[in-house]
Amino acid sequence: MAASAVTADGRARVLADGHQMPMLGLGVWQVPDGPECVNAVRWALDLGYRHIDTAQAYGNEGSVGRALRDSGVPRDEVFVTTKFYPARKDPVAEAERSLRRLGVDHVDLYLVHWPEGGPTWAWPGMERARELGLARSIGVSNFSAGELDAVMAAGTIPPAVNQLQFSAMEYRRGLLDACQRRGIALEAYSPLGTGQHLANKTVNQVAQRVGRTPAQVLLRWCLQHDLPVISKSTHRERIQDNAQIFDFTLSAQDMAELDALDQTNGTGRALEDTWW
């Protein structure tokens, strides 16, 4: 199956199930429930973001929901992702709880957060959540190529998305190729290495050449690999800066220099070290 397409304006990815995911999203991992999370999401929505990524494990779905309501942005204009916490038992029951916390009647994307207990056991519940209309699209996160195959063999609905730790330094070519062959959109999280990649010499050299910040360069690298990308910040200025990635292009030389920063040897693994 061919990889899903990016829209002509470069701002959305058409998933294999036909739904569109905005290419840039705000993530709220490690953002405490309360005003800090509400403000970050409100600022992002005010600045034009239309994709918000949370999870049951983050404990801040209530704040995301409050920000959605307070923003005045129509619900159908915002792509909302949450993730099933696999230490729980029932993806449907947990999705219903997420929707109550978020104050919405569905999420746009519901992911198995990681393959704890094996890659396939939660998938029937994920399919049921989609059939019930609790989620428009379903997918996985932190799944290797082999784990994707297991899910596809066991289920009737293939994952639309595999959300992964992915950046120029974690350029998991093997896993990207596996996703593309299966028609699964790879979505990048931690594209800045939780800030660690911003000091990289090559990244800074490219940023100086193109007149952009290191963060913008690393986010743009994801876009030019046709990868939707989640950036995280609780600072309005950085949230704004991170959105300025659609009005410039990295050259083939820039991309090659950034590609060469990979430290994973083009792995098909989702992570070097798992936490479950």
Side-chain angles (χ1 to χ4, degrees):
M1 178 185 274
S4 303
V6 175
T7 56
D9 65 1
R11 290 180 176 267
R13 174 78 177 252
V14 182
L15 304 177
D17 61 13
H19 295 300
Q20 289 192 16
M21 168 193 280
M23 291 292 283
L24 176 65
L26 179 83
V28 293
W29 176 57
Q30 293 187 323
V31 182
D33 199 36
E36 190 175 10
C37 185
V38 173
N39 287 339
V41 175
R42 272 294 309 274
W43 290 333
L45 293 170
D46 289 348
L47 292 164
Y49 286 69
R50 291 297 180 265
H51 179 177
I52 306 297
D53 181 278
T54 184
Q56 293 159 4
Y58 300 168
N60 56 19
E61 290 171 315
S63 292
V64 170
R66 179 180 166 190
L68 286 170
R69 290 189 296 278
D70 291 352
S71 73
V73 178
R75 168 66 187 94
D76 61 3
E77 292 183 13
V78 185
F79 189 101
V80 178
T81 298
T82 197
K83 308 177 193 79
F84 170 61
Y85 180 41
R88 304 275 187 255
K89 300 298 183 190
D90 182 358
V92 170
E94 297 306 324
E96 290 170 340
R97 293 186 180 99
S98 284
L99 297 185
R100 287 195 292 272
R101 289 188 290 264
L102 288 161
V104 298
D105 62 5
H106 71 276
V107 290
D108 297 276
L109 179 62
Y110 190 34
L111 304 176
V112 181
H113 205 158
W114 60 84
E116 181 173 336
T120 61
W121 71 267
W123 197 246
M126 299 294 289
E127 293 189 344
R128 181 71 177 146
R130 183 176 180 267
E131 290 161 3
L132 291 170
L134 307 178
R136 289 189 170 173
S137 298
I138 54 174
V140 296
S141 182
N142 301 302
F143 276 50
S144 68
E147 288 162 342
L148 291 176
D149 284 340
V151 170
M152 294 182 76
T156 57
I157 302 171
V161 171
N162 188 13
Q163 187 185 104
L164 300 167
Q165 179 197 58
F166 207 94
S167 71
M169 288 70 171
E170 294 102 4
Y171 182 16
R172 306 175 189 280
R173 288 180 184 82
L175 195 40
L176 176 58
D177 290 347
C179 289
Q180 289 174 334
R181 288 196 303 272
R182 293 158 180 77
I184 298 169
L186 192 158
E187 181 182 22
Y189 75 73
S190 293
L192 312 181
T194 60
Q196 296 176 36
H197 300 340
L198 300 178
N200 179 272
K201 181 179 177 181
T202 299
V203 172
N204 279 270
Q205 288 172 340
V206 172
Q208 287 182 335
R209 277 205 302 265
V210 298
R212 295 289 176 146
T213 68
Q216 289 166 342
V217 165
L218 287 164
L219 293 168
R220 182 69 200 180
W221 177 88
C222 291
L223 294 192
Q224 289 187 216
H225 279 295
D226 293 344
L227 307 177
V229 61
I230 298 298
S231 67
K232 176 243 174 174
S233 179
T234 56
H235 302 280
R236 184 184 175 99
E237 296 77 15
R238 288 184 201 155
I239 292 170
Q240 184 169 21
D241 284 348
N242 289 347
Q244 309 306 309
I245 56 173
F246 295 98
D247 59 348
F248 75 101
T249 302
L250 297 171
S251 69
Q253 177 189 342
D254 297 333
M255 291 295 289
E257 290 181 15
L258 295 167
D259 289 352
L261 297 176
D262 173 53
Q263 298 167 4
T264 72
N265 296 314
T267 185
R269 296 188 305 275
L271 289 166
E272 279 61 60
D273 298 298
T274 59
W275 63 80
W276 60 88

